[in-house]
Amino acid sequence: EVQLVQSGAQLKKPGESLKISCKAYGYSFIGYWIAWVRQVPGSGLEYMGVIHPTDSDTKYTPSFQGQVTFSADKSITTVYLQWTSLKASDTAIYFCVRVEDYGHFQFWGPGTLVTVSS
Amino acid sequence: EIVMTQSPATLSVSPGERATLSCRASQSVSNYVAWYQQRRGQAPRVLIYNTSTRATGVPARFSGSGSGTEFTLTISSLQSEDFAVYYCQQYSNWPSRTFGQGTRLDIK
């Protein structure tokens, strides 16, 4: 069974760093791109970009370029989303999701709630 | 960037009735459109991809149609579990993907 298991909720202060994870189970990890999607509470879905676990090739949307970093460790079938200096506006739920061959998003993680507050 | 515009923002429908949700792309996306359902407190779930292909396990009351810039999700007979938020998404040009702003389907 394909599963994406995400790390737990985080409460951080502005300026702090953070790395959240998404661990894949049940399929060939290196065969699929993984996307990250942001959802501010009460708002819609925002596509942040993708990473390929084979070589950590990454593609960011312009809104998120330079604001976050994607990484991957194929030895433990895990991808990461990282911030070096959080802002209050980063408060959101972050989903990882597998990108299917056609290009749509099939298997979603449950999301990680990141709250940034002083 | 391709902009996806959904209408209406909120749709109130009675159980057992039909619901029709619309999505318009700012330029042609061929048939590369998916629809997702998001229930409160849950991750999104894909319902339809490639405009009209139902994902595994999705009931037949969900159907998708359209091409180019105009797309529709139809739910033929609403069940209680269908009241949720629905998003369309285009994936016509790699790696670009954009979502519509969502349509909330409420019980009338």
Side-chain angles (χ1 to χ4, degrees):
Chain A
E1 179 192 3
V2 175
Q3 285 191 73
L4 295 175
V5 178
Q6 296 188 239
S7 48
Q10 297 284 333
L11 175 60
K12 307 292 278 188
K13 290 181 167 43
E16 292 186 332
S17 63
L18 176 64
K19 193 174 189 177
I20 62 174
S21 66
C22 168
K23 184 172 175 62
Y25 296 89
Y27 71 96
S28 174
F29 182 62
I30 60 173
Y32 294 86
W33 293 81
I34 296 286
W36 287 97
V37 174
R38 183 174 80 172
Q39 186 169 41
V40 173
S43 296
L45 304 172
E46 298 175 87
Y47 169 67
M48 301 173 69
V50 288
I51 182 167
H52 201 288
T54 298
D55 55 4
S56 293
D57 185 13
T58 56
K59 302 184 188 303
Y60 300 94
T61 63
S63 298
F64 293 96
Q65 180 79 50
Q67 308 303 308
V68 298
T69 302
F70 305 152
S71 58
D73 185 340
K74 59 187 177 185
S75 70
I76 55 171
T77 67
T78 300
V79 297
Y80 302 95
L81 169 58
Q82 182 173 6
W83 296 260
T84 57
S85 180
L86 286 159
K87 302 184 283 287
S89 56
D90 294 318
T91 295
I93 300 170
Y94 293 87
F95 295 99
C96 61
V97 56
R98 195 179 86 171
V99 183
E100 302 306 302
D101 291 342
Y102 282 116
H104 63 289
F105 297 170
Q106 176 85 30
F107 295 99
W108 293 70
T112 295
L113 174 61
V114 174
T115 304
V116 184
S117 174
S118 54
Chain B
E1 177 186 278
I2 298 174
V3 177
M4 303 296 281
T5 303
Q6 292 186 240
S7 61
T10 304
L11 183 60
S12 296
V13 183
S14 299
E17 292 190 340
R18 173 187 297 257
T20 302
L21 289 66
S22 297
C23 180
R24 173 176 290 176
S26 60
Q27 65 189 71
S28 177
V29 294
S30 185
N31 70 326
Y32 296 113
V33 166
W35 290 90
Y36 300 86
Q37 176 193 67
Q38 188 177 31
R39 296 176 177 139
R40 186 180 299 275
Q42 295 187 13
R45 163 199 179 200
V46 66
L47 299 173
I48 301 286
Y49 63 94
N50 292 354
T51 295
S52 59
T53 302
R54 270 191 305 277
T56 302
V58 175
R61 64 180 181 273
F62 292 91
S63 63
S65 62
S67 66
T69 61
E70 301 284 344
F71 299 89
T72 300
L73 174 70
T74 302
I75 312 171
S76 60
S77 177
L78 280 162
Q79 307 297 301
S80 58
E81 62 267 29
D82 300 336
F83 293 96
V85 180
Y86 292 82
Y87 296 94
C88 62
Q89 178 204 35
Q90 70 79 21
Y91 47 97
S92 66
N93 291 318
W94 178 257
S96 171
R97 271 100 180 94
T98 46
F99 292 96
Q101 80 280 21
T103 290
R104 180 180 303 280
L105 185 54
D106 284 343
I107 300 176
K108 187 173 183 179

